[in-house]
Amino acid sequence: MADETSTQVTGELTITLNGTQVDARKGELLIAAAERHGVYIPHFCYHPRMRPVGMCRMCIVEVDTGRGPTLQPSCMLECAEGMVVDTESDVTSKAQDGILEFLLINHPLDCPVCDKGGECPLQDQTMAYGPGESRFVESKRHHEKPIPISDLVLLDRERCILCDRCTRFAKEVAGDPLIHFINRGNHTEVNTFPDEPFASYFSGNTVQICPVGALTATPYRFKARPWDLEQVESTCQTCSVGCRVAVQSSRNEVLRYVGVDSDPVNWGWLCDKGRFAFESVNGDERLGEPLVRTGGELRPARWSEAIASAAEVLQSTLTAHGPEAIGVIGGARLTNEAAYAWAKLAKGVLGTDNVDAQLGDGLPAEVVLGLPSATIDEVCAPGGTVIVLGPDTKEELPVLFLRLRHAVLNDGVRLIEIAPTATGLSAIATASLIHHPGETAEVARALVGQPGLGTDAGGVNSAALEVARAAIAAGGPVRVVLGRASVAESVSWTVEAASILSSIPDTSFLMALRRGNVRGAIDLGLSPGLLPGRVTLDGGRANLSGLWPTVPATPGMDTTAMLTAAAEGHLRTLVLVGADPLADFPDRDLARRALAGVETIIATDTYLTGSSSLAGVVLPAAGFAEVSGTTTNLEGRVSVLSQRVTPPGTARSDWAIASDLARALGVDLGFASVEDILTEISSAAPSHAGLADALASSSDTDGVVVPLSGPTPADALLSFTVPTSDALLPRHSYSLRLVVGRKLYDEGTAVHHSPAMTNLPVGGALRLNRYDFDRLGVAEGDLVRVIAPALTIEAPVVVDPAVPRGSAGAWFNQDGLCAADLIDITAPLTVLQVESLNGQGAGS
Amino acid sequence: MARLTPENEVLARTIIGRYPVPKSALIPLLHLAQEQDGWVTDEAMAHIAELVGVSAAEVLGTCSFYEMFKREPVGRYLVNICTNISCVLMGSDDLLSHAEQRLGVTVGETTPDGTFTLEGVECIAACTEAPCLQVNYRYRYKVTPESFDELVDDLAAGAFADEIPPHGTLARVRQVIAADRVAGAVEPTDGRQPEWMGDPDGGAS
Amino acid sequence: MTVSDVAPIITSRFANPDAHTLSGYRATGGYQALAKALSMSPEAVANEVKEASLLGRGGAGFPAGVKWGFCPPGVWPRYLVVNGDESEPGTYKDRMLMERDPHQLIEGVLLACYAVGCGQAFLYVRGEMALAQERIAAALNEAYAAGLVGRNIMGSDFSVDVILHWGAGAYIVGEETALIESLEGERGMPRLKPPFFPAAKGLYMQPTIVNNVETLSNVPWIVNNGAAAYNELGAEASRGTRMFAVSGHVKNPGVFEVEFGTTTFRDIIFDPRYAGGILGDRAVKAFIPGGASAPWFFEEHLDLPLEKGTVDRAGSMLGSGAIVVMDETTDVVRACLSLVRFFAHESCGKCTPCREGTTWLERILTRIISGQGRPTDLDLLLDVSDNISPGIAWPPKQTTICPLGPSAVSPISSALTRFRGEFEALIDDAVAARTAVTPVEITVGSHG
Ligand SMILES: Cc1cc2nc3c(=O)[nH]c(=O)nc-3n(C[C@H](O)[C@H](O)[C@H](O)COP(=O)(O)O)c2cc1C
Ligand code: SF4
Ligand code: FES
C-alpha cells in the first residue's frame, strides 16, 4: 500500500547525541541527523532514498524519550525534542554486535572472491566490530551458486542478508516488482517468478545498493578489485538527464560507473543503459586513427594529412560556393567546450550558419530557449501539476521517469500525460490523454478550455479531459515536460500545443530533448540562427566582435533543411560532428539521398558509423571519460566532466580537432586548454556569464543552472512564432497513422558496442491495437505488407495495447523494422496502409 | 493445471470487488486456485497477478509465505498431525511415528497412490483434545494409533466423502452478498464521515 | 467468589445445537443489543464499552474501549479488523466462539463498527479452520438476508459490509500489523510500531481497530446489560468473564469460561468442575499461564488469581488464555525445544535477530538433545537469547520488530533457570560419550 507523502523536514529541535546537544529537524530520521553531525550509525537496510523498513536491526541504538532508555532502530525513528541518544553505550554495542553475529552465521566469508570485497559494509562492520571466533558450529545455509536473474544481474543467495533494498528498489523506486521475497522465516530468499526475469531498465541500481555481494552485474563481475579502482566524478551523457556518476577505471580501462547522489538530479540512480554503456568506451572497434578516402577507400592516415585534407575540402567549398554550401550537423555528444569550439569554427571561421546539433527529431531552438524553464526539482515539487507532452520518459529519459514517478506516488503531484500511445507513466497518471497522432494541439486547446466543456478532442473523451482540467484547477504551478512524442509527425503541432499550454498561469517548461549534451550545444550556438549564450545572430554579434573573425549575417538551415538541400545538390560539404543521420534522422530515405548528394563528408566520431563510413575524412574523437570539460543537462544545469582514461590510439578531443582545423584554415581559435574555452564562454555567452567562477565555488555533484541570475537575455530576445498547424489529413478508414518513439535499448552506439546490452533491443515490428490487429486476420509476429509513402515493405506485426485504434506504432532504430524507413519528413504526418500478405487491409 | 476457469474468474472478480484495494483479494484467490487444482500452479498465480494488477513475483511472494498453499501436488487427503506443546505432552510424537509407519511415508511425503500426504504441523487450536489432527482441515480429536488406523481405512474407502472434500476445497459455504444489500467497499481515499456518525466534523472519539 | 456462581457471558449458547443459526441466536436474545445500540448515539455505545473494563483477549490485554478512542478524530474511513487467527500454542477458544456462536461475534462486530464509525469490517479467520469459516459464512449470509448486515441495517442509516477473509497458515499473522499486511495481500510481516499503530495508520494506512474474536463477542452482552453489570464481575482491571483453555497433563482438559480476576490457577487446574487435577495425580512441574510466549509458572504460582495485573507482576502474562500443564514426568528440554522450534518455524523472517536467532536457538537445543551438546552451549543459549531480548527480563525488551522473537526466549529462560540441571545432564552425558570413544586404529590396505 502506498504510504503517505515523503517526510517533510521542517523546523528545528534539539537532541542529545552521545552527550552533546545537537540540532535536528522535525521529521528527520535519527540515523540521518546523527550522520549530519558526524556520528555514523551502522546500517544495512536503511537507504536514504528509500522508505525505511527497519528490518536489519543493525542501526538500533539506545534512545530515551523520557521513559527510560530503550533500543530503537534509528532508521525508523524521527527526532523528537529532548531525545537522548547513545550510540556508543554498552547496551547499544552489545545489541549491534549481536546483530552482526546473526548476519554472519549464514554468510559465507568468501570476501577474497567476492566482487563486493573491499567496499562491503558487512565486511567493514565485521572488521571494525565483529566477533572474532564464530560461535556458530552448525553448517551454514547452502544455495545454488550465482543465478542470473536477468541479462545483467546475478544473484548469490548465500551472501544475501535480506535487507530488502533490491526488492524495495524494484517496487518502490523503479515500479518493476519483478524480484520479491519468497518463503518465510529462515527460508526467506530473493526470487523472480519462473520465466519472468528482473528485466528492469534500472536493475543495475540494485547491484549498487546491495550492501553485500549478493547481487553482481555481469559486465563487471570479477573485472577488478575495488582497491585497484581509481575514480573521478563525472556526468553521464548517455541521455540529457545528466546523472552524476563516478567513473572507475583500472589500468587505463573504464570498468564501472557508479551512481552518485545529486540531490537536484538523479538521487544516486542510473539507468542500465547509462550504467553499462562504459563498455562502449573500451570497445574494440573504437576509432584510433584518422582515415582518409583514397582511391575510393578509407585508409589510415596521419593527423596532419587528415586535417590538411579536411581543411582543403572546406577551403575549396568556401572559395567556390561560399559558406552557405557548408553544413555542420551534430554536436550533442560533445562537451560544452567542444561545442563552443565547433560553433566558433563553423560560424566564426567558416561563416556558415547551417549548423544544427539536433537531427530533425527535437524541438526548434527558439522554443527550447523561448519558453520559461523549470528544473527537475521544480517539476517534481509537491503539490503541483505536471503535464508530460513528449516522449515516453521511461524509454528516453529514464531517471527523469524515476523522479516523476516518485513525485506522483509520494509527493502528491498530479500528472497529466498527452501522448499518442500509452507510456511508462500512464499507469500512475491522474489523466492519460491518449490522442490521435497529429491532434496534440486539439487536446491542449481542450485542456485549457473551460470546465464542463463536455466534448471530446483529438480522440480523447470528455470525461478524461474533465479529470485533467480538474487536476490543473486544483491549484499549484503547472510544469510541462515538453518534447517529441512521435517523430512521424510535424513538430509544429507540438509547438502549437506548447504555446497553448503556456497560457495557463504559472506555467514553465522542462525540455525533454534526448541526446546527452544537446542542451549545451544549443546554448553554445550549435543551432541555426543562434550564437553562444542563448542569443540570436543579431543579438550576439556585438559580444563576439574581437573574439570571432566573423558572424553569419542571416540564419541558416536546420538539419532537415540541410539534408533536403544536400539531396538537391545545393550543399557541397557536410561536416558530421559525432552525428549519424542514417541512423538518427527520422527520414532515412532523405538522409541517404543527402549523403549521396554532397561532394564531401567530413566526420568526427568515436566509431565508424553508417554515415561516417561514407566520409572523405574521418577524424577519431576522444569520448566520454577521455575528455574533461563541462556538460549541460536538460534543465540547463552545467556540471563538470572529468577525464579518467586516455583515448584509444591518437583520438583527440573534439575541441582540439576544431582548433586544428581552424589553424589549417589560417585562424587561431585562441585556446590551448579546456579552461581557456570555459573562460571565453564565461565572457562571450551572455547566459553563461560568470560560469567558470560559479562552477569553481559550487558543489561538483550538483553543478549550476544557467543562466546564473535573473532573466536571461535570451528570454527577451528569443520569442518564437507558432507555426500554423499543418492541415490534418482526413482520416481514411483504410489508413493508420504512424507513431514513432524510441526504446531505451536501440541499435545506437552505446548499446551496439556494449556486449552486455547487445541482446537487449526488442527489435522492430509494427505494433497495432488488438482491434486493428484482428481486422488484419494475422497472428502475432506474422509478416504484413506495410505501404509507406516512400516504399512498401514486409514487416512483422504484433499486438500492443499501448497503441490506440487507428494508429500504428514503430520503434526508431531497431533491427527488423526501422521507423526511419517509413517516415516521410515532408508530410505533416506519416500515414500507412497495412495489408496482410493474403490481402486483408487494416485501419479504423 | 491452469489458469482459473471462466467460472472461477467470475467468482474471483466478485471477491476482488469486496475489497477497497484489489491486492487484498490475493489470499482468497490463491485459495480459489488451490480449490480448482488441488494445489497452486504457476499459471494460476500469473492469472491472479493479472486479475489483481500486481506482478507474478508478488503473487508468488505472498503465496509462498503461507503454509497452506502447496506449490506441488499433494494427496487427496492432507493429514496434519499437531506436533506442538499440548499435543507433544500427550504423545503426538508417537502418533506421528505411527502414522509414518501406517502410511509408509515420512513426514512431508505423499503415498504413491496419491491418497495421503502426511505433515507434522504447529498448533491447530484444539489443544484440549490432544493429540489431534486434521484431514483437509477437518478435525479428529484425541487420536490413538487405533483410531488413526481406522480413520485411514475409512478415508481410503471413501467413508467421509460428505464431510471431507478433497484437498484444496476449504470451506464449502461461501459468503454471498446480494446486490441490494451491498454497502460497498470503502475506498481508503473516501474521506467522508459515515452517515450514522452524526455531525460532520465531530469524530467518534 | 467462585466461578460457579456466575452465569457464562459468551459461552451461554454453547450447549444449544442450533446456536450458530440465526433463528437459534435470535431465540436467545440475539441482535437485541444491535437494536438497542441503533437507538443510541454511536458515542453512547462507545462510552458504554469504554466504561466496561473489557481487556483485549488476544494477548496484550489492552482495554477495548480505550483502543476504540485512539482513532484520530475526523480521519475517514476507518476499518475494523477482527483477529480470528488464533494460533498461539495452547490457545483454543476463538475457534469455539466462531464455530458455535458466530452471530454473537457478528453482532459484536456491528456494534464496534457502529460505535467507532467503521465503514467496513474484515473478519480474518485462520485458514486451517474450515468449519469456522463455513459457520461464519452461513451466519453472514443469513444476517445479510435479514437486513442485519449490509446497507441500512434494520432500516437505519447504519451501513457496513462485513467481509469474511480466510488466512492461509502463518502464526505471525496473528500479530495485528502483520494481520493488516496479510489482509492487504502481502506477506504477513509486522510493521514497526511506531509509526504504524493500527488505530492511527492501519489497513491501507487508515485508522483501523484490530480486536480479538473473544473481545468482540463480549460486546453484545455489555450493550445489553450495561458496563456496570459487567464490571460487577471480576477483580481489579480484569472484569467480566474470560475463556481459558487448560491442556496438557490434566485429567479433564477443556475450555472454561470463568469469572476473570478472581478464579485462581489452582481452581481452574484442580477443581473437578474444570480441569480436575493432574493426570495420575502427579505433581506439577511447571505450567504455562498464557500461551507459548509466556514465561512459565511453577507450583508456587498456583494460588495466583487469573488477573492480568497480578500475573504481569509475577513475571508472566495471561496472554491468550492458554494454560498448559506439565507434570513432573515432563522432559523440559524437549518441551522447551518444541516451543522454540515453533517460534523459529513461525518467524516471518523480516528482522535479523528473530530470523537468525530463533533458528540458532533451535539448532543448539536440537544438538543438546541429540547428544551433541557442548559445555558452552547453555551460556550460548542465554547469550543468543540476550541478543534477541536484551536483559532477558519480563516484560521483554527486544532487538526485534515484534514480540515473536523474544517469545522464543521465554521457554529457554524459564526452563534453564529452573531446570538447568536437566540440560547439564544431557550435555555431560554427551561429553562423556564423546571422550569415552577410544581411538580406533585404522589399517590402510585391503579389506579382510
Ligand atoms: C506474535 C503475535 C501473535 C499474535 N497472535 C494473535 C492471535 O492469534 N489472535 C489474536 O487475537 N491476537 C493475537 N496477537 C495479539 C494481536 O497483536 C492484537 O494485540 C490483538 O489482536 C488485539 O485484539 P484485542 O485488543 O481484542 O486483544 C498476537 C500478537 C503477537 C505479537
Ligand atoms: S520478531 Fe520475528 S516475527 Fe516479528 S517481525 Fe521480526 S522476524 Fe518477523
Ligand atoms: S538500517 Fe535500521 S534496521 Fe536496518
Coordinates of all heavy atoms in Angstrom, one line a residue, chain A residues 362-364 367 389-390 418 420 435-445 482-501 509 720-730 737-738 824-831:
Chain A
G362 N 14.0 16.9 -32.7 CA 13.9 17.6 -31.5 C 12.9 18.7 -31.6 O 11.9 18.6 -32.2
L363 N 13.2 19.8 -30.9 CA 12.3 21.0 -31.0 C 13.1 22.2 -31.5 O 14.3 22.3 -31.3 CB 11.9 21.3 -29.5 CG 11.0 20.3 -28.8 CD1 10.9 20.7 -27.3 CD2 9.7 20.2 -29.4
P364 N 12.4 23.1 -32.2 CA 13.1 24.3 -32.6 C 13.8 25.0 -31.5 O 13.3 25.1 -30.4 CB 12.0 25.2 -33.2 CG 10.8 24.3 -33.4 CD 11.0 23.2 -32.4
V367 N 12.0 27.5 -29.4 CA 11.1 27.0 -28.4 C 11.8 26.6 -27.2 O 11.4 26.9 -26.1 CB 10.3 25.8 -29.0 CG1 9.4 25.2 -28.0 CG2 9.5 26.3 -30.2
L389 N 4.1 16.2 -22.2 CA 3.7 16.3 -23.6 C 5.0 16.0 -24.3 O 5.8 16.9 -24.6 CB 3.1 17.7 -23.9 CG 2.4 17.9 -25.2 CD1 1.7 19.2 -25.2 CD2 3.3 17.8 -26.4
G390 N 5.2 14.7 -24.5 CA 6.5 14.4 -25.1 C 6.7 12.9 -25.2 O 5.8 12.1 -25.2
I418 N -0.1 13.8 -22.2 CA -0.7 14.0 -23.5 C 0.2 13.2 -24.5 O 1.3 13.6 -24.7 CB -0.8 15.5 -23.9 CG1 -1.5 16.3 -22.8 CG2 -1.4 15.7 -25.2 CD1 -1.6 17.8 -23.1
P420 N 0.4 10.1 -27.9 CA -0.3 9.3 -28.9 C -0.4 7.8 -28.6 O -1.1 7.1 -29.2 CB 0.5 9.5 -30.2 CG 1.8 9.9 -29.7 CD 1.7 10.6 -28.4
H435 N -4.2 10.4 -27.5 CA -4.9 11.1 -28.6 C -4.5 10.6 -30.0 O -3.5 9.8 -30.1 CB -4.7 12.6 -28.5 CG -3.2 12.9 -28.6 ND1 -2.6 13.1 -29.8 CD2 -2.3 13.2 -27.7 CE1 -1.3 13.4 -29.6 NE2 -1.1 13.5 -28.3
H436 N -5.2 11.0 -31.0 CA -4.9 10.6 -32.4 C -3.6 11.4 -32.7 O -3.4 12.6 -32.4 CB -6.0 11.1 -33.4 CG -7.3 10.4 -33.1 ND1 -8.5 11.0 -33.4 CD2 -7.5 9.2 -32.7 CE1 -9.4 10.2 -33.1 NE2 -8.9 9.0 -32.7
P437 N -2.7 10.7 -33.4 CA -1.5 11.4 -33.9 C -1.8 12.6 -34.6 O -2.8 12.6 -35.4 CB -0.8 10.3 -34.7 CG -1.3 9.0 -34.3 CD -2.7 9.3 -33.8
G438 N -1.1 13.7 -34.4 CA -1.3 14.9 -35.2 C -2.4 15.8 -34.5 O -2.6 16.9 -35.0
E439 N -3.0 15.3 -33.4 CA -4.1 16.2 -32.9 C -3.7 16.7 -31.5 O -4.6 16.9 -30.6 CB -5.4 15.4 -32.9 CG -5.8 15.1 -34.4 CD -7.1 14.3 -34.6 OE1 -8.0 14.5 -33.7 OE2 -7.2 13.6 -35.5
T440 N -2.4 16.7 -31.2 CA -1.9 17.2 -29.9 C -2.5 18.6 -29.6 O -2.9 18.8 -28.4 CB -0.4 17.3 -30.0 OG1 0.1 16.3 -30.8 CG2 0.2 17.3 -28.6
A441 N -2.5 19.4 -30.5 CA -2.9 20.8 -30.3 C -4.4 20.9 -29.9 O -4.8 21.7 -29.0 CB -2.6 21.7 -31.5
E442 N -5.2 20.0 -30.5 CA -6.6 20.0 -30.1 C -6.8 19.7 -28.7 O -7.6 20.2 -28.0 CB -7.4 18.9 -30.9 CG -7.0 18.8 -32.4 CD -7.2 20.0 -33.1 OE1 -8.3 20.7 -32.9 OE2 -6.3 20.4 -33.9
V443 N -6.0 18.7 -28.3 CA -6.1 18.2 -26.9 C -5.6 19.4 -25.9 O -6.3 19.6 -24.9 CB -5.2 17.0 -26.6 CG1 -5.3 16.5 -25.2 CG2 -5.6 15.8 -27.6
A444 N -4.6 20.0 -26.3 CA -4.1 21.1 -25.5 C -5.2 22.2 -25.4 O -5.4 22.8 -24.3 CB -2.8 21.7 -26.0
R445 N -5.8 22.5 -26.5 CA -6.8 23.5 -26.5 C -8.0 23.1 -25.6 O -8.5 23.9 -24.8 CB -7.4 23.7 -27.9 CG -7.4 25.2 -28.4 CD -8.0 25.4 -29.8 NE -7.5 24.5 -30.8 CZ -6.3 24.6 -31.5 NH1 -5.6 25.7 -31.2 NH2 -5.9 23.8 -32.4
L482 N 8.3 18.9 -22.0 CA 7.9 19.1 -23.4 C 9.0 18.4 -24.3 O 10.2 18.6 -24.2 CB 7.9 20.6 -23.8 CG 7.4 20.9 -25.2 CD1 6.0 20.6 -25.4 CD2 7.7 22.4 -25.5
G483 N 8.5 17.6 -25.2 CA 9.4 17.0 -26.2 C 8.6 16.4 -27.3 O 7.4 16.7 -27.5
R484 N 9.2 15.6 -28.1 CA 8.6 15.0 -29.2 C 8.0 13.6 -28.9 O 8.8 12.7 -28.6 CB 9.6 14.9 -30.4 CG 10.0 16.2 -31.0 CD 8.9 16.9 -31.8 NE 8.6 16.2 -33.0 CZ 9.4 16.3 -34.1 NH1 10.5 17.0 -34.1 NH2 9.1 15.6 -35.2
A485 N 6.7 13.5 -28.9 CA 6.1 12.2 -28.6 C 6.3 11.2 -29.8 O 6.3 10.0 -29.6 CB 4.7 12.3 -28.2
S486 N 6.3 11.8 -31.0 CA 6.4 10.9 -32.1 C 7.2 11.8 -33.2 O 6.9 12.9 -33.4 CB 5.1 10.6 -32.7 OG 5.2 10.0 -34.0
V487 N 8.2 11.1 -33.8 CA 8.9 11.8 -34.9 C 8.3 11.5 -36.2 O 8.8 11.9 -37.3 CB 10.4 11.5 -34.9 CG1 11.0 12.1 -33.7 CG2 10.6 10.0 -35.0
A488 N 7.1 10.9 -36.3 CA 6.4 10.6 -37.5 C 5.4 11.7 -37.8 O 4.6 11.6 -38.7 CB 5.7 9.3 -37.5
E489 N 5.5 12.8 -37.1 CA 4.6 13.9 -37.4 C 5.3 15.2 -37.3 O 6.4 15.3 -36.6 CB 3.4 13.9 -36.4 CG 3.8 14.1 -35.0 CD 2.6 14.0 -34.0 OE1 1.9 13.0 -34.0 OE2 2.4 15.0 -33.3
S490 N 4.8 16.2 -37.8 CA 5.4 17.5 -37.8 C 5.5 18.1 -36.4 O 4.6 17.9 -35.6 CB 4.6 18.5 -38.7 OG 4.9 19.8 -38.4
V491 N 6.7 18.8 -36.2 CA 6.9 19.3 -34.9 C 5.9 20.5 -34.6 O 5.7 20.9 -33.5 CB 8.3 19.8 -34.7 CG1 8.6 21.0 -35.6 CG2 8.7 20.1 -33.3
S492 N 5.3 21.0 -35.6 CA 4.5 22.2 -35.4 C 3.4 22.0 -34.5 O 3.0 22.9 -33.8 CB 4.0 22.8 -36.8 OG 3.2 21.8 -37.4
W493 N 2.8 20.8 -34.5 CA 1.7 20.6 -33.6 C 2.1 20.6 -32.1 O 1.4 21.1 -31.2 CB 1.0 19.2 -33.9 CG 0.3 19.3 -35.2 CD1 -0.6 20.3 -35.6 CD2 0.3 18.3 -36.2 NE1 -1.0 20.0 -36.9 CE2 -0.5 18.8 -37.3 CE3 0.9 17.1 -36.4 CZ2 -0.7 18.1 -38.4 CZ3 0.7 16.4 -37.5 CH2 -0.1 16.9 -38.6
T494 N 3.3 20.1 -31.9 CA 3.9 20.1 -30.5 C 4.1 21.6 -30.1 O 3.8 22.0 -29.0 CB 5.2 19.3 -30.5 OG1 5.0 18.0 -31.0 CG2 5.7 19.3 -29.1
V495 N 4.7 22.3 -31.0 CA 4.9 23.7 -30.7 C 3.6 24.5 -30.5 O 3.5 25.2 -29.5 CB 5.7 24.4 -31.9 CG1 5.9 25.9 -31.7 CG2 7.1 23.7 -32.1
E496 N 2.6 24.2 -31.3 CA 1.4 24.9 -31.1 C 0.8 24.5 -29.7 O 0.3 25.4 -29.0 CB 0.4 24.5 -32.2 CG -0.9 25.3 -32.1 CD -1.9 24.9 -33.2 OE1 -1.5 24.0 -34.1 OE2 -2.9 25.5 -33.3
A497 N 0.8 23.2 -29.4 CA 0.3 22.8 -28.1 C 1.0 23.4 -27.0 O 0.4 23.9 -26.0 CB 0.4 21.2 -28.0
A498 N 2.4 23.5 -27.1 CA 3.2 24.2 -26.0 C 2.7 25.6 -25.9 O 2.6 26.1 -24.7 CB 4.6 24.1 -26.4
S499 N 2.5 26.2 -27.0 CA 2.1 27.6 -26.9 C 0.8 27.8 -26.2 O 0.6 28.7 -25.4 CB 2.1 28.2 -28.3 OG 1.3 29.3 -28.4
I500 N -0.1 26.9 -26.5 CA -1.4 26.9 -25.9 C -1.3 26.7 -24.3 O -1.9 27.4 -23.5 CB -2.4 25.9 -26.5 CG1 -2.7 26.2 -27.9 CG2 -3.7 25.7 -25.7 CD1 -3.3 25.1 -28.7
L501 N -0.5 25.7 -24.0 CA -0.3 25.4 -22.6 C 0.4 26.5 -21.8 O 0.1 26.8 -20.6 CB 0.5 24.1 -22.4 CG -0.2 22.8 -22.9 CD1 0.7 21.6 -22.7 CD2 -1.5 22.6 -22.2
F509 N 8.5 25.2 -18.3 CA 8.7 24.0 -19.2 C 10.1 23.4 -18.9 O 11.1 24.1 -18.7 CB 8.7 24.4 -20.6 CG 7.3 24.9 -21.1 CD1 6.8 26.1 -20.7 CD2 6.5 24.0 -21.9 CE1 5.5 26.5 -21.2 CE2 5.3 24.4 -22.3 CZ 4.8 25.6 -22.0
F720 N 9.3 33.0 -30.0 CA 9.2 32.2 -31.2 C 7.8 32.4 -31.7 O 6.9 32.7 -31.0 CB 9.4 30.7 -30.8 CG 8.4 30.1 -29.8 CD1 7.3 29.5 -30.3 CD2 8.7 30.2 -28.5 CE1 6.4 29.0 -29.4 CE2 7.8 29.7 -27.6 CZ 6.6 29.1 -28.0
T721 N 7.7 32.2 -33.0 CA 6.4 32.3 -33.6 C 5.8 30.9 -33.7 O 6.5 29.9 -34.0 CB 6.4 32.9 -35.0 OG1 7.6 32.5 -35.6 CG2 6.3 34.4 -34.9
V722 N 4.5 30.8 -33.4 CA 3.9 29.4 -33.5 C 3.6 29.2 -35.0 O 2.9 30.0 -35.6 CB 2.6 29.4 -32.7 CG1 2.0 28.0 -32.8 CG2 2.9 29.8 -31.3
P723 N 4.1 28.1 -35.5 CA 3.8 27.9 -36.9 C 2.3 27.5 -37.0 O 1.8 26.9 -36.1 CB 4.7 26.7 -37.3 CG 5.1 26.1 -36.0 CD 4.9 27.1 -34.9
T724 N 1.7 27.8 -38.1 CA 0.3 27.4 -38.3 C 0.4 25.9 -38.4 O 1.2 25.3 -39.1 CB -0.3 28.0 -39.5 OG1 0.6 27.8 -40.6 CG2 -0.6 29.5 -39.3
S725 N -0.6 25.2 -37.8 CA -0.6 23.8 -37.8 C -0.8 23.3 -39.3 O -1.6 23.9 -40.0 CB -1.7 23.2 -37.0 OG -1.3 23.2 -35.7
D726 N 0.0 22.4 -39.6 CA -0.2 21.8 -41.0 C -1.6 21.2 -41.0 O -2.0 20.6 -40.0 CB 0.9 20.7 -41.2 CG 2.3 21.3 -41.1 OD1 2.8 21.9 -42.0 OD2 2.8 21.3 -39.9
A727 N -2.2 21.4 -42.0 CA -3.6 20.9 -42.1 C -3.6 19.3 -41.9 O -2.7 18.6 -42.4 CB -4.2 21.2 -43.5
L728 N -4.5 18.9 -41.1 CA -4.6 17.5 -40.8 C -5.1 16.8 -42.0 O -6.1 17.2 -42.6 CB -5.5 17.2 -39.6 CG -4.8 17.2 -38.3 CD1 -5.8 17.0 -37.2 CD2 -3.8 16.1 -38.2
L729 N -4.6 15.6 -42.2 CA -5.1 14.8 -43.3 C -6.5 14.3 -42.9 O -6.7 13.9 -41.7 CB -4.2 13.7 -43.6 CG -2.8 14.0 -44.1 CD1 -2.0 12.8 -44.2 CD2 -3.0 14.7 -45.5
P730 N -7.4 14.1 -43.7 CA -8.6 13.5 -43.4 C -8.3 12.0 -43.0 O -7.4 11.4 -43.5 CB -9.5 13.6 -44.6 CG -8.5 13.8 -45.7 CD -7.3 14.5 -45.1
R737 N -2.4 5.9 -38.8 CA -1.4 7.0 -38.5 C -0.2 6.4 -37.8 O -0.4 5.7 -36.8 CB -2.1 8.1 -37.7 CG -3.2 8.8 -38.5 CD -3.7 10.0 -37.6 NE -4.8 10.6 -38.3 CZ -5.4 11.7 -37.9 NH1 -5.0 12.2 -36.7 NH2 -6.4 12.3 -38.5
L738 N 0.9 6.8 -38.3 CA 2.2 6.2 -37.7 C 2.6 7.0 -36.4 O 2.6 8.2 -36.4 CB 3.3 6.2 -38.7 CG 4.6 5.6 -38.3 CD1 4.5 4.2 -38.0 CD2 5.7 5.9 -39.4
D824 N 8.0 9.9 -43.9 CA 8.2 10.9 -44.9 C 8.2 12.3 -44.2 O 7.2 12.8 -43.8 CB 7.1 10.8 -45.9 CG 7.1 11.9 -46.9 OD1 8.1 12.7 -47.0 OD2 6.2 12.1 -47.7
I825 N 9.4 12.9 -44.1 CA 9.5 14.1 -43.3 C 8.8 15.3 -44.0 O 8.5 16.2 -43.3 CB 11.0 14.4 -43.0 CG1 11.1 15.3 -41.8 CG2 11.7 15.0 -44.2 CD1 12.0 14.8 -40.8
T826 N 8.5 15.1 -45.3 CA 7.8 16.3 -45.9 C 6.4 16.3 -45.6 O 5.7 17.3 -45.8 CB 8.0 16.2 -47.5 OG1 7.5 15.0 -47.9 CG2 9.5 16.3 -47.8
A827 N 5.8 15.1 -45.2 CA 4.4 15.1 -44.9 C 4.2 15.5 -43.4 O 5.0 15.2 -42.6 CB 3.9 13.6 -45.1
P828 N 3.1 16.2 -43.2 CA 2.9 16.6 -41.8 C 2.7 15.3 -40.9 O 3.1 15.4 -39.7 CB 1.6 17.4 -41.8 CG 1.0 17.1 -43.1 CD 2.1 16.7 -44.1
L829 N 2.3 14.3 -41.5 CA 2.0 13.1 -40.7 C 2.2 11.9 -41.6 O 1.7 11.9 -42.7 CB 0.5 13.1 -40.2 CG 0.1 12.0 -39.3 CD1 0.7 12.2 -37.9 CD2 -1.5 12.2 -39.1
T830 N 2.9 10.9 -41.1 CA 3.1 9.7 -42.0 C 1.9 8.8 -41.8 O 1.6 8.4 -40.6 CB 4.4 9.0 -41.7 OG1 5.5 9.9 -41.9 CG2 4.6 7.8 -42.5
V831 N 1.3 8.4 -42.9 CA 0.1 7.5 -42.8 C 0.5 6.3 -43.6 O 1.1 6.3 -44.6 CB -1.1 8.2 -43.4 CG1 -2.3 7.3 -43.4 CG2 -1.5 9.5 -42.7

